[in-house]
Amino acid sequence: MKYGMNSNEMQKTNRTLVLKTLLENGSMTRTDLSARIGLQKATITNIINEFLDLGIIAVDGESASGRRGELICLKLDGIYIMSISINRKDYRVSVYSVDGHMINHIRFEFLEKRDIYEIIRRLKETGKNLIEQYGKDRVIEICLGLPGPYIRKDKDVDREEFLVSGFEQLSWVNIHKELEETFGRPIISEHDAKLLAYAEWKCAEERQTDRHVSLVALGSVGFGIGAGIIINGKIVEGQLGIAGEIGHMGINYNGKHAQNGIQGTYEYCAGTESAVRYMLERLYEFPESPLTEKSSYWEILDAYKNGDPLAVYAIDKMAWMLGYGIASIVYIINPDCVILGADYPDLPEFLEKVQRSVSQFVHPSIMENVSIRCTKLKEDTILLGGYYIALEKLFKNNLLLERIRQALC
């Protein structure tokens, strides 16, 4: 059992605390930094002097002079974190600066007849090219977001399993291991819905009043639904890492069978693609509708915004089913906040339908204490979550300063 830290470990921890505090708060004086972290001013001064020697401290873009009361900030130009996401429809890769600004973004959309081996070949090529472009040592961490259920046994990369409805080919290849071998370095992998939820938690306005707010975030990319659960700032993983796989919950015993043969699942009833099926069920009852047999979810959503009765029926039914499942989540998790991902309509009338559906099953005294809202983030939350998880791992393992030193050599 580890009872304490030695001097070297303490020094690493203190430096990590300073880096983390400056990244999260921007410019600060040494006095404010000392008060925020709880370290003596002399310790802060020694750490800042070390950072000055590395050239990673600045004041208004210039090197810090050491004057009392001056505002200091980190200067980490040219150091990056890469975030990767793959799902049934595409893969996306973004490069972030260490302070969270997206520097580059690449998306590759799959053809209807997708070949997993060709997809992985392209993904490896994309990632390798970006690493070469920005510098192998300057890309200090990489995170991979994967659709689920994403099963990890004993956290062994060789014992990972992917059970993705509608994309069974994904289980043929160990993407995590393939990318590690191609990039020549370890990478982090996580269920994409958990990354989405972590990004929402990091940016949630609710954290302004309660930093320990609990949160459930739902995302739907086409057929599936995934969720991430954050409690006390930690992602809830479960025994095999599948906590939050709400899309596989059964909510309609008499419902139709999904592609995987399972009947009445939440993702089949309330995933964004369900709106397409609901539209097709009644298409010939609405001859005046602009929608056709080939209309996509996004075309249905546009028609919904224009008040088309068929589209209103389809989106409202999806909203009702979505609320039905959220009601169960409220009773099981009892979160402070439930956030709907960007693929769901960010429209007051849609959200009101979801809330009404939830209220049919949840007692008013409970409803008034849970916030159900759409995401307020405009960028890709899965990739953003990958950035935050990668950075958090560097903090947790006291590796950020070490990686910065390697990048600057």
Side-chain angles (χ1 to χ4, degrees):
M1 180 180 290
K2 190 173 182 179
Y3 291 98
M5 292 186 288
N6 60 36
S7 176
N8 185 50
E9 290 173 328
M10 182 65 73
Q11 288 178 10
K12 286 183 178 180
T13 298
N14 290 344
R15 280 150 182 76
T16 296
L17 282 171
V18 172
L19 288 170
K20 183 175 184 179
T21 305
L22 285 173
L23 272 175
E24 291 179 346
N25 295 277
S27 298
M28 301 178 72
T29 66
R30 291 170 173 79
T31 300
D32 290 341
L33 196 54
S34 174
R36 179 68 63 89
I37 298 175
L39 295 176
Q40 294 182 357
K41 291 181 182 180
T43 302
I44 293 293
T45 296
N46 290 336
I47 293 172
I48 295 302
N49 287 339
E50 181 182 338
F51 290 176
L52 280 168
D53 291 339
L54 279 172
I56 61 172
I57 289 289
V59 177
D60 297 327
E62 302 295 335
S63 296
S65 64
R67 292 193 305 271
R68 191 172 186 177
E70 69 183 356
L71 291 170
I72 58 175
C73 63
L74 289 174
K75 184 176 65 173
L76 297 174
D77 300 336
I79 303 175
Y80 310 100
I81 289 172
M82 183 184 292
S83 186
I84 303 170
S85 172
I86 184 170
N87 58 52
R88 300 168 180 84
K89 295 186 175 183
D90 61 26
Y91 72 67
R92 305 179 307 284
V93 185
S94 286
V95 177
Y96 290 86
S97 62
V98 177
D99 59 357
H101 291 93
M102 186 184 290
I103 306 298
N104 200 346
H105 178 75
I106 294 174
R107 177 176 181 263
F108 176 72
E109 188 173 2
F110 308 151
L111 298 174
E112 188 171 340
K113 294 182 179 179
R114 47 204 168 191
D115 179 344
I116 187 62
Y117 299 109
E118 174 61 17
I119 290 169
I120 298 306
R121 185 193 68 78
R122 282 179 172 269
L123 176 56
K124 290 194 288 188
E125 183 179 301
T126 299
K128 190 174 181 180
N129 288 342
L130 286 170
I131 290 171
E132 290 175 355
Q133 177 181 345
Y134 291 97
K136 183 175 181 180
D137 289 334
R138 288 183 172 268
V139 178
I140 61 174
E141 193 61 90
I142 301 172
C143 184
L144 170 65
L146 294 160
Y150 172 30
I151 299 173
R152 287 173 294 180
K153 298 178 180 178
D154 305 321
K155 297 183 179 180
D156 184 349
V157 69
D158 290 315
R159 301 184 69 198
E160 295 177 339
E161 296 180 34
F162 307 95
L163 309 175
V164 185
S165 303
F167 195 8
E168 286 73 17
Q169 289 186 49
L170 197 61
S171 64
W172 302 352
V173 181
N174 188 323
I175 300 178
H176 184 149
K177 191 172 182 179
E178 291 267 347
L179 293 184
E180 285 191 333
E181 291 175 353
T182 299
F183 300 159
R185 62 197 296 172
I187 66 172
I188 307 164
S189 62
E190 184 56 272
H191 181 206
D192 54 12
K194 292 181 173 64
L195 298 181
L196 178 153
Y198 197 68
E200 293 287 359
W201 182 80
K202 290 290 288 186
C203 302
E205 60 186 16
E206 289 84 357
R207 289 185 68 216
Q208 301 300 317
T209 55
D210 181 6
R211 293 187 64 83
H212 298 290
V213 65
S214 59
L215 175 151
V216 177
L218 286 74
S220 176
V221 180
F223 175 75
I225 293 181
I229 305 165
I230 310 294
I231 298 178
N232 292 329
K234 305 293 183 182
I235 297 175
V236 177
E237 296 281 1
Q239 181 191 7
L240 297 175
I242 64 166
E245 279 295 351
I246 60 172
H248 293 263
M249 296 190 310
I251 67 167
N252 185 3
Y253 181 78
N254 295 312
K256 296 179 180 179
H257 288 79
Q259 297 174 26
N260 58 9
I262 300 176
Q263 194 172 17
T265 60
Y266 189 35
E267 63 182 11
Y268 185 79
C269 297
T272 52
E273 285 300 313
S274 68
V276 177
R277 291 194 306 277
Y278 298 145
M279 178 273 293
L280 291 173
E281 287 173 0
R282 299 189 62 188
L283 177 61
Y284 295 105
E285 298 177 39
F286 297 86
E288 301 299 320
S289 175
L291 300 174
T292 70
E293 291 96 336
K294 297 182 179 180
S295 293
S296 67
Y297 167 71
W298 300 106
E299 290 170 326
I300 295 170
L301 191 52
D302 285 340
Y304 175 77
K305 293 174 183 176
N306 292 325
D308 176 67
L310 177 56
V312 170
Y313 163 77
I315 297 295
D316 281 357
K317 185 170 181 179
M318 179 181 72
W320 174 264
M321 292 295 187
L322 189 61
Y324 193 100
I326 290 173
S328 297
I329 293 169
V330 169
Y331 277 114
I332 294 170
I333 307 298
N334 188 206
D336 296 289
C337 185
V338 177
I339 300 176
L340 309 183
D343 284 334
Y344 287 110
D346 184 8
L347 298 167
E349 55 270 33
F350 175 79
L351 187 59
E352 190 267 339
K353 287 287 192 309
V354 173
Q355 291 169 335
R356 280 179 54 193
S357 173
V358 177
S359 67
Q360 294 290 313
F361 306 98
V362 176
H363 193 276
S365 62
I366 300 173
M367 275 295 293
E368 67 185 19
N369 286 287
V370 60
S371 167
I372 302 173
R373 64 172 176 83
C374 296
T375 181
K376 296 183 180 180
L377 298 178
K378 300 303 180 185
E379 60 185 290
D380 189 314
T381 46
I382 293 173
L383 293 176
L384 181 61
Y387 154 77
Y388 280 125
I389 287 292
L391 189 61
E392 187 60 34
K393 180 185 177 184
L394 292 170
F395 288 147
K396 183 178 179 181
N397 296 322
N398 289 328
L399 288 173
L400 182 55
L401 184 58
E402 178 183 326
R403 299 284 174 85
I404 291 171
R405 289 182 187 277
Q406 292 171 355
L408 296 176
C409 287

